Amino acid sequence: MTEINDAVMDKITKVCLCKSISRATIKKAILEGAHTVQKVNAAVGSGSGPCRGQRCGPKIQGIIEQMKEAGQI
Ligand code: FES
């Protein structure tokens, strides 16, 4: 149940507000090998909105670190 809730939350939670990119999309890019903020940005287009990644960059970095700590990447 928790995993289902996490998956739903990942889909509805926007990490990059400027470009409306979900946490699910960010995580997928990380799983596919984008292990830095710059690589995630290049893969999904985050960081290219009006804030130039000031809001989403730290959040993406945090997700990368969480996934590393969890042994997912
Ligand atoms: S929130 Fe991602 S570019 Fe602004």
Side-chain angles (χ1 to χ4, degrees):
M1 191 63 176
T2 305
E3 283 175 23
I4 294 169
N5 285 343
D6 285 349
V8 170
M9 287 309 292
D10 281 352
K11 281 193 180 155
I12 60 176
T13 303
K14 302 298 180 202
V15 172
C16 178
L17 299 171
C18 294
K19 305 292 275 189
S20 193
I21 297 170
S22 70
R23 191 162 64 205
T25 299
I26 300 288
K27 282 186 173 179
K28 185 171 177 282
I30 296 168
L31 287 172
E32 290 172 353
H35 294 174
T36 65
V37 174
Q38 289 75 14
K39 285 182 182 174
V40 171
N41 289 348
V44 303
S46 48
S48 59
C51 86
R52 308 311 300 171
Q54 285 191 23
R55 290 186 294 181
C56 58
K59 287 192 268 181
I60 293 168
Q61 183 63 44
I63 294 169
I64 293 169
E65 283 164 19
Q66 274 178 2
M67 290 174 77
K68 275 187 186 161
E69 281 168 22
Q72 293 174 293
I73 56 171

